[in-house]
């Protein structure tokens, strides 16, 4: 799958030199060179994945995580204030001119546009099973882009290729229906490997389409005002019974530097530090004083950490997920040599104490203390690109543990079998050596989703579904109102497309 990234990266470089925008568009493809072989189809479709991966690991991830209690970026002695862009995401007082919100919109529609462009190319190639397979894969990727855009922005346009007219705005229900119909139409025509092997890792499979349908139906009550948890369970069962997907034995391997195809990851954002941007966890999360411990070719930026309230979830006896956090005094790998931070030993504190409430600034570090617990779930990569500071760890988007927890949740929400719900919930617990449970509530499921899926980009989605997104945490007062469950349409987009109407509350 990495060859998609390399090919797409080189194609992007060749396009980047063009600055004249009013020239006629001429395709370099002719009847004699439309895609015909698998390699040609790979080359034609690679940019779709490159665009998805490049944007997901930073701005999209921040939209879902910085607006939750899982991740926070405070100002640090004046640094990382950046006109308050991170602080407004935390406090839910963003506005339509927010730069990260604009980047998220542009990421979604750049991806959708590229899917439409690629589909137009593929349609012109000679009919073959390979053509059908790749058409279905790109339609699945387009559905995934729409799922994110609809989830974030609500009423959004459904666009088409080859028209200069500004697209009309569709209702959230119409976009929901479009995504559903697309996935139902293509799912049975996608490849169905027993598990997602290297050939299909990072590409849509039948199991990926089913996982999208499960997510779509789990959140239908928020999207269209109709509970569809029973339908969500149908697609969970299709994955569980139709594939040979299983939880991997080593939880940490899912996020390791050399992670890749395995029996659990259904779909992932793929990263090669030399060809694609996206995974910047180490850059933004770790403290510069940790550079030597992890043999890094750059000094990390000391920005992202978690809140004390969220870290409190990691309290289960023997739970291997507890080790994904750095808290307290820090030592080199020998376990005895202290890591120094100025005049004191580097010490990560759970308490984040502000010296300036308005800017959410923690002030200078004193006596080695650095505010906030740090994540090493996406383990620091010594082969991080020293120029871009992107690392090689892939980021799972859909994986089997998520499917299991959503299935348990759907069973509880529909009054289904508690025994069966416990079965799927405890499978997740057993894998990480955490205690099994004999009773189960929705609050327990939300907490477990926090432990299992921390920093994987689903927390905003979960909190909205559980009615907790407008809660109080960190330096957010809570009670911001249901309008904050979706983001505003960026102000620049309203200027560019007069068919768009701003979301309620903005």
């Amino acid at each position: 799958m990495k060859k998609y990234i390399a090919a797409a990266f080189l194609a992007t470089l060749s396009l980047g030199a063009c600055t004249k925008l009013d020239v006629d568009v001429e395709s370099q493809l002719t009847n004699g060179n439309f895609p015909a072989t698998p390699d040609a189809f790979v080359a034609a479709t690679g940019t779709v994945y490159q665009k998805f991966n490049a944007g997901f690991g930073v701005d999209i991830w921040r939209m879902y995580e910085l607006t939750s209690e899982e991740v926070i970026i405070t100002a640090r002695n004046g640094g990382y204030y950046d006109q308050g862009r991170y602080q407004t995401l935390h406090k839910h007082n963003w506005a339509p001119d927010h730069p990260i919100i604009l980047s998220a919109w542009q990421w979604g529609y750049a991806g959708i546009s590229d899917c439409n462009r690629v589909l137009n190319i593929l349609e012109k190639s000679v009919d073959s099973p390979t053509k059908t397979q790749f058409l279905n894969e790109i339609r699945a990727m387009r559905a995934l882009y729409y799922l994110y855009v609809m989830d974030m922005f609500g009423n959004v346009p459904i666009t088409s290729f080859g028209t200069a007219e500004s697209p009309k705005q569709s209702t959230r229900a119409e976009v929901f229906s479009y995504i559903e119909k697309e996935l139902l139409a293509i799912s049975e025509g996608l490849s169905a490997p027993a598990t997602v092997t290297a050939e299909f890792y990072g590409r849509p499979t039948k199991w990926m389409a089913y996982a999208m349908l499960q997510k779509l139906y789990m959140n239908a009550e928020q999207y269209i005002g109709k509970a569809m948890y029973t339908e969500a369970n149908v697609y969970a069962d299709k994955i569980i019974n139709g594939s040979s997907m299983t939880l991997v034995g080593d939880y940490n391997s899912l996020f390791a530097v050399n992670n890749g195809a395995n029996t659990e990851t259904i779909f992932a954002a793929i990263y090669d530090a030399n060809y694609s941007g996206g995974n910047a966890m180490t850059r933004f999360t770790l403290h510069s004083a940790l550079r030597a411990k992890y043999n890094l070719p750059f000094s990390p930026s000391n920005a992202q950490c978690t809140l004390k309230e969220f870290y409190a979830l990691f309290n289960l006896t023997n739970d291997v997920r507890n080790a994904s956090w750095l808290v307290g005094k820090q030592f080199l790998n020998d376990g005895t040599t202290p890591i120094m931070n100025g005049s004191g030993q580097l010490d990560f504190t759970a308490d984040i104490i502000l010296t300036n409430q308005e800017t959410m600034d923690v002030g200078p570090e004193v006596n080695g203390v650095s505010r906030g617990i740090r994540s090493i779930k996406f383990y620091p990569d010594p082969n991080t690109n020293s120029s871009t500071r992107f690392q090689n760890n892939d980021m799972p988007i859909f994986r089997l543990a998520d499917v299991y927890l959503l299935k348990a949740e759907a069973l509880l929400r529909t009054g289904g079998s508690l025994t069966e719900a416990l079965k799927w919930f405890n499978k997740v617990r057993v894998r990480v050596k955490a205690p099994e449970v004999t009773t189960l509530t929705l609050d327990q499921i939300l907490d477990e989703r926090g432990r299992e899926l921390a920093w994987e980009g689903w927390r905003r989605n979960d909190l909205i579904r559980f009615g907790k997104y407008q809660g109080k945490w960190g330096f957010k007062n809570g009670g911001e109102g249901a309008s904050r469950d979706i983001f505003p349409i960026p102000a620049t987009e309203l200027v560019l497309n007069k068919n768009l109407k701003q979301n309620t509350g903005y």
Side-chain angles (χ1 to χ4, degrees), residues 59-80:
D59 281 343
I60 303 306
W61 184 87
R62 285 175 171 172
M63 292 281 278
Y64 281 80
E65 295 289 4
L66 288 182
T67 61
S68 79
E69 88 286 35
E70 283 195 354
V71 185
I72 184 172
I73 295 180
T74 62
R76 293 185 182 271
N77 199 29
Y80 274 104

Side-chain angles (χ1 to χ4, degrees), residues 84 100 106 142 275 279 355 393 440 468:
I100 297 176
Q106 292 174 335
R142 184 173 61 182
Y275 290 107
N279 191 336
T355 59
N393 317 54
L440 193 59
K468 303 280 180 85

Side-chain angles (χ1 to χ4, degrees), residues 1-9 38-39 41-54 133-134 137-138 141 144-145 196-205 208 259-262 265-273 275-276 392 394-395 397:
M1 183 60 199
K2 302 265 186 190
K3 66 183 177 180
Y4 273 85
I5 296 171
F9 177 78
D39 283 347
F41 278 100
V42 166
T45 58
T47 56
V48 168
Y49 302 95
Q50 190 272 339
K51 283 183 171 64
F52 181 88
N53 299 342
Q133 174 188 323
F134 278 84
E137 289 181 10
I138 299 306
M141 286 301 299
L144 181 59
Y145 277 114
V196 179
T197 57
E199 180 183 1
F200 293 102
Y201 179 65
R203 288 167 59 186
T205 61
M208 184 261 219
N259 61 347
N262 58 74
T265 301
I266 297 170
F267 182 76
I270 310 300
Y271 294 114
D272 183 321
Y275 290 107
S276 65
N392 290 287
D394 301 334
M395 298 178 72
I397 307 296

Side-chain angles (χ1 to χ4, degrees), residues 139-140 142-144 146-147 150 158 172-188 209-210 212-218 220 223-224 226-228 231-232 235:
R139 287 174 70 183
R142 184 173 61 182
L144 181 59
Y146 272 119
L147 179 60
M150 187 258 303
I158 297 173
R172 203 177 204 184
E174 288 170 337
V175 182
F176 178 100
S177 179
Y178 173 82
I179 297 168
E180 180 187 31
K181 287 178 181 177
E182 280 287 282
L183 292 174
L184 292 175
I186 65 173
S187 58
E188 301 309 315
Y210 289 166
M212 272 199 282
L213 282 164
Q214 185 192 27
K215 285 279 187 185
L216 187 72
Y217 292 140
M218 284 298 297
Y223 295 151
I224 61 173
K226 176 185 177 183
M228 300 185 72
E231 290 84 347
Y235 284 91

